[in-house]
Amino acid sequence: MQIVQQQQCFGGRQIRYRHDSQSLNCSMQFSVFLPPQAEQGPVPALYWLSGLTCTDDNFSTKAGAQRMAAMLGLALIIPDTSPRGEGVADDPQGAYDLGLGAGFYVNATETPWNKHYRMYDYVLNELPALVERELPLNGKRAISGHSMGGHGALVLALRNPARFVSVSAFAPISHPTDCPWGQKAFTAYLGEDQSAWAEYDASLLLAAKGCSLPMLVDQGEADNFLAEQLRPEALQAAADVDGAELTLRLQPGYDHSYYFIASFIEEHLRFHARHLAG
């Protein structure tokens, strides 16, 4: 882990690291906020997964999460959204919803994507092992994310409930097998076999396997992507069948932007802090 930049922030430290990823076969950057409590001993961590076109920098600079994370004693672990660098495949037309910045938190099986696009393994295994070895973290984890990252957070938590204590999301892509963003990405990364797609669809996973974790989802009602791409009603329907502990809140007037995230991030951090302290 090489420090790229570091700033003091609310008594803690905001740090950007670079490292060589074995999962992704490239150099990766990620950001960490360590609260002031980390100077006295290990602290729990919230993993944040960002959305399409984003990097680790978007949440760090736009969400305003550090003040509350410092008060609650939470570390923030913020990976990039996809592999990057020379030789990493990208959409030949330069589309924003496939390739660089659009890893969709899956393990790609199709050429040429399978050489680098294994964000599921990276977030689940490689990155936690790295930061918990090198930083003052106590091994307790929660996970959250926005849009494509909300999809990733839900899928990782639903498939690995023993690894996290809670999960939340802002405007997640809740039913990617039935929306244009998900269908495009899954066809490219996973191929035509839709049984493979189901392993990365939060609504299908929740309906099939249930969930023992507390879940909090906020969705803006003025979100331009709500009807076509996000499909929160599918997630709610799956939770209703299973009796899962899902709190889905529709927020009037809010859109898909980081203004929406900044408005409710304190509530999400407090939600996770309660469960991380349990």
Side-chain angles (χ1 to χ4, degrees), residues 75-145:
L76 304 174
I77 312 298
I78 312 160
D80 201 346
T81 51
S82 72
R84 298 184 192 267
E86 187 176 352
V88 175
D90 193 13
D91 182 81
Q93 274 72 52
Y96 74 92
D97 54 359
L98 187 70
L100 299 183
F104 265 85
Y105 304 100
V106 304
N107 285 340
T109 57
E110 299 297 299
T111 305
W113 311 101
N114 56 353
K115 182 178 179 182
H116 298 286
Y117 284 75
R118 302 185 62 83
M119 288 297 295
Y120 180 89
D121 276 356
Y122 178 72
V123 175
L124 180 66
N125 296 314
E126 184 177 7
L127 185 59
L130 177 66
V131 296
E132 289 174 13
R133 184 176 67 244
E134 301 291 338
L135 299 175
L137 304 177
N138 66 12
K140 291 186 177 181
R141 310 175 200 95
I143 191 165
S144 185

Side-chain angles (χ1 to χ4, degrees), residues 5 23 46 64 72 75 87 112 122 166:
Q5 63 186 67
S23 301
L46 174 67
L72 296 170
Y122 178 72
S166 53

Side-chain angles (χ1 to χ4, degrees), residues 85-267:
E86 187 176 352
V88 175
D90 193 13
D91 182 81
Q93 274 72 52
Y96 74 92
D97 54 359
L98 187 70
L100 299 183
F104 265 85
Y105 304 100
V106 304
N107 285 340
T109 57
E110 299 297 299
T111 305
W113 311 101
N114 56 353
K115 182 178 179 182
H116 298 286
Y117 284 75
R118 302 185 62 83
M119 288 297 295
Y120 180 89
D121 276 356
Y122 178 72
V123 175
L124 180 66
N125 296 314
E126 184 177 7
L127 185 59
L130 177 66
V131 296
E132 289 174 13
R133 184 176 67 244
E134 301 291 338
L135 299 175
L137 304 177
N138 66 12
K140 291 186 177 181
R141 310 175 200 95
I143 191 165
S144 185
H146 171 231
S147 193
M148 178 186 72
H151 139 77
L154 290 168
V155 166
L156 281 153
L158 289 167
R159 289 178 59 175
N160 307 277
R163 298 295 300 275
F164 305 98
V165 302
S166 53
V167 57
S168 75
F170 292 81
I173 304 173
S174 297
H175 195 15
T177 61
D178 194 29
C179 78
W181 277 342
Q183 291 167 347
K184 177 179 179 179
F186 287 2
T187 300
Y189 297 146
L190 304 172
E192 300 288 346
D193 181 4
Q194 295 193 16
S195 65
W197 298 9
E199 291 299 307
Y200 297 100
D201 186 304
S203 295
L204 297 180
L205 288 167
L206 184 56
K209 301 181 179 181
C211 183
S212 59
L213 299 179
M215 296 180 285
L216 172 63
V217 174
D218 273 311
Q219 172 62 61
E221 289 187 335
D223 191 322
N224 291 337
F225 303 114
L226 175 56
E228 183 180 28
Q229 302 284 12
L230 305 179
R231 303 291 310 281
E233 71 281 357
L235 190 68
Q236 184 65 70
D240 290 343
V241 169
D242 179 72
E245 190 182 341
L246 169 65
T247 300
L248 172 60
R249 308 188 303 187
L250 299 177
Q251 304 290 0
Y254 285 91
D255 60 12
H256 200 70
S257 71
Y258 265 85
Y259 295 110
F260 166 51
I261 296 170
S263 298
F264 297 99
I265 191 62
E266 177 176 335
E267 296 178 41

Side-chain angles (χ1 to χ4, degrees), residues 3-17 30-36 39 56-57 60-61 66-67 70 76 78:
I3 294 177
V4 177
Q5 63 186 67
Q6 180 174 196
Q7 287 88 24
Q8 190 84 358
C9 185
F10 292 104
R13 291 183 294 150
Q14 183 69 43
I15 314 167
R16 177 177 263 184
Y17 292 99
F30 65 93
S31 291
V32 172
F33 173 71
L34 290 176
E39 298 295 325
D56 58 296
D57 198 40
S60 300
T61 59
Q66 291 92 339
R67 179 186 65 83
L76 304 174
I78 312 160

